[in-house]
Amino acid sequence: MTTPQPGRHMAAEIAAQPSIFSSLYSSRSSIAEVAAVIRERAPRFVLFAARGSSDHAAIYAKYLTEILLQLPAGLVSASTTTLYGAEPDLRDVLLITVSQSGGSPDLLEVTASARRRGALTVAVTNTANSPLNAAAELSVDVSAGVEHAVAATKTYSATLLALYLLIDAVRGGNGEAAAPLGDLAQVTLDSSAPSVEEAVRRYRFVDRVLTTGRGYSYATALEASLKLAETSYLAARAYSGADLLHGPVAAVDGETAVLAITSLGKGGDSIRDALDVVHQRGADVVAVGSASEKVGATLAIGIPETAEEVAPVLEILPVQRLAYGLALARGGDPDSPRGLNKVTRTL
């Protein structure tokens, strides 16, 4: 009997992302239909509900909402509904619930409750017939296909793209910045491979990693931290580049591995000084992004330049490959992280 190759599902799902991006972009008209309803309802505030990797996608969408739509946005604390029974007035509020499976009971309850209280509710999921889709008034299908690896890869990046296409369409855009992402994703995976292999060699024996990014890229830093923790069991912690020098830098020394997400744009520009400081303190800094060559780093993993607001769709690809490679190098199987299931049922 042949023993299954460790990580085969994660590897295949990482490799599938370029075609998924192209397909999702081609089917953006269905997302635009949802956006038209949102635009007609003219919400004054946007709330996002999510868990895990989907929460990081929601944080990315929060930036998109505040910058591109000029609307205030926030993240729901699900327990205020599920544990404490709070029922705030949500008229003129748009609630977007992000869940790859659409099966988490707390997100389902939050969505159903918000709809009763007057919110326009939208489910963004990778499972078209999920309970969450039924609970929400509108839905967006991420269309990434069944994901077999426990660690989310293609569903995370496709969710980012779906959220961008939705929010861009709400403002009347045509998704132009996302048009080349399918091709650029393949370039990213191919061109970054040697640098990712070097990063695996550098990080194979580290115990803790600090990840950082700012602006749109903060979501990538958060997702990077989660991926490294769940696949390689590293003690990983994410910080905004704005917070890095407000205390966390005290723990940085020559034994610290720092994974910095830095792409061209205002977010990448603003993090340079902080990275110079941690680099000077002796930290082993690996920079990922289209501005990776412009910061103080030991190793740069470049990606193609894009509009800043869609850079996270590409930034995460080398990070996923890094998490995959580290898990294998450390003797693990990234398809089956210990203690984890595909659907987490939080109450």
Side-chain angles (χ1 to χ4, degrees), residues 112-341:
S113 176
R115 187 172 180 179
R116 290 194 304 269
R117 289 178 278 127
L120 172 60
T121 54
V122 179
V124 178
T125 78
N126 191 47
T127 309
N129 60 350
S130 72
L132 181 61
N133 288 62
E137 184 175 342
L138 303 167
S139 62
V140 170
D141 189 352
V142 169
S143 303
V146 176
E147 193 167 52
H148 296 285
V150 172
T153 53
K154 65 179 184 176
T155 54
Y156 174 74
S157 59
T159 297
L160 295 184
L161 180 53
L163 286 166
Y164 171 76
L165 291 171
L166 176 65
I167 292 168
D168 179 65
V170 171
R171 67 167 174 169
N174 61 4
E176 181 180 4
L181 290 180
D183 291 338
L184 293 180
Q186 191 62 61
V187 172
T188 299
L189 289 172
D190 292 343
S191 64
S192 66
S195 297
V196 170
E197 289 179 5
E198 174 61 24
V200 169
R201 287 193 289 271
R202 301 188 72 87
Y203 280 6
R204 180 177 180 180
F205 298 109
V206 302
D207 293 319
R208 59 191 177 96
V209 177
L210 183 154
T211 67
T212 187
R214 196 169 184 201
Y216 297 110
S217 296
Y218 179 48
T220 311
L222 290 165
E223 178 64 6
S225 176
L226 176 60
K227 282 291 159 286
L228 293 171
E230 68 182 352
T231 60
S232 300
Y233 317 134
L234 290 169
R237 179 71 183 270
Y239 291 97
S240 164
D243 295 329
L244 191 57
L245 301 183
H246 288 242
V249 71
V252 173
D253 56 25
E255 300 299 315
T256 306
V258 176
L259 183 65
I261 313 300
T262 173
S263 287
L264 294 168
K266 294 179 179 179
D269 289 345
S270 69
I271 203 175
R272 291 181 189 176
D273 290 345
L275 292 182
D276 285 343
V277 171
V278 298
H279 190 56
Q280 290 165 9
R281 290 179 65 89
D284 191 323
V285 180
V286 172
V288 176
S290 56
S292 59
E293 298 281 359
K294 299 179 180 295
V295 300
T298 310
L299 176 66
I301 303 177
I303 67 169
E305 181 179 356
T306 64
E308 185 179 5
E309 61 263 29
V310 297
V313 180
L314 299 183
E315 291 168 347
I316 195 60
L317 305 182
V319 173
Q320 294 169 346
R321 279 268 183 85
L322 174 61
Y324 164 81
L326 278 174
L328 295 179
R330 293 163 71 93
D333 181 356
D335 284 347
S336 302
R338 64 194 183 205
L340 295 180
N341 296 308

